[in-house]
Amino acid sequence: LVSLGQLNWFWTFKALFWGDIIGDIFYYYAGRWGHGPWTDRLARRFGVTKERMNAFNQIFNEHAVKIIIINKAHALGAPVLFYYGALRFPIWKFLWANMAGTLPKVALFEFLGYFLGSRLSTVQTYLDVIGIALTAAMVLALFWFYWFRSSRSEWHKNRT
């Protein structure tokens, strides 16, 4: 619509930017206020111990800004944003890092939309394939991390 002159690029950018930020704030506060005993039970069901959570929390706190910015580049962002809220990560630091990741993301998508909008069906097919590939890579990475780095795995026991 911007390339057709029906929308102003600046106001479109602002709407997309703030829409993304407001949605991320929703996930942050859902994590801050929405976790409780049920999340602890779910964690225990997946074998998450307090020691593992403390190590995971330490990694999140040490690399918070990098994780938030990288989080903006894939489709599985909600759990990470929820987790930051559950950690009670400082909201202003969260917002700063989130905006730093949202700004180039929105600019890229508005640029792509402007120049590739007429080829939407073709572009959508490529974006779907890329999204599926990134999601599969994320699932495989999580599986690898759980399987090979878990203290329960035979590989880990034989290695140490």
Side-chain angles (χ1 to χ4, degrees), residues 2-24:
V2 171
S3 67
L4 297 174
Q6 295 181 1
L7 291 175
N8 179 295
W9 73 269
F10 178 74
W11 293 107
T12 302
F13 181 85
K14 284 181 79 168
L16 293 171
F17 178 81
W18 287 109
D20 191 55
I21 294 295
I22 290 169
D24 293 349

Side-chain angles (χ1 to χ4, degrees), residues 131-151:
I132 290 169
L134 288 174
T135 302
M138 176 75 87
V139 169
L140 288 173
L142 289 172
F143 175 76
W144 180 85
F145 182 78
Y146 179 76
W147 183 260
F148 289 108
R149 297 294 180 187
S150 171
S151 62

